[in-house]
Amino acid sequence: MSTERLIVVGGDAAGMSAAAQAKRRNPGLEVVVFERGPHTSYSA
Ligand SMILES: Cc1cc2nc3c(=O)[nH]c(=O)nc-3n(C[C@H](O)[C@H](O)[C@H](O)COP(=O)(O)OP(=O)(O)OC[C@H]3O[C@@H](n4cnc5c(N)ncnc54)[C@H](O)[C@@H]3O)c2cc1C
């Protein structure tokens, strides 16, 4: 069985918004965010 996976590069406003929205629309989707810095946006 294959799992659909979304890779997001960048964990600031745009990246975390996209990741959260994708997960809301498709809870079964595996979402991975790569962020080069030490923090991500938490208000997306
Ligand atoms: C001085 C200043 C003040 C601002 N003040 C406000 C404000 O008061 N209110 C407001 O709403 N907006 C403000 N903005 C605008 C706001 O910061 C941007 O619109 C918003 O941060 C854009 O988010 P983004 O996710 O599109 O891009 P970015 O914030 O640029 O995020 C990109 C992310 O991707 C990461 N990244 C980049 N390359 C890689 C890589 N190769 N691998 C992994 N991670 C990577 C970066 O580390 C970063 O976290 C301000 C902007 C500036 C410059």
Side-chain angles (χ1 to χ4, degrees), residues 3-27:
T3 306
E4 239 186 321
R5 182 182 296 155
L6 173 70
I7 306 293
V8 178
V9 179
D12 207 342
M16 293 307 281
S17 295
Q21 190 61 237
K23 194 72 179 172
R24 281 190 201 105
R25 290 181 186 207
N26 183 358

Side-chain angles (χ1 to χ4, degrees), residues 8-17 33-41:
V8 178
V9 179
D12 207 342
M16 293 307 281
S17 295
V33 178
F34 289 106
E35 167 53 48
R36 71 179 168 188
H39 305 293
T40 61
S41 169

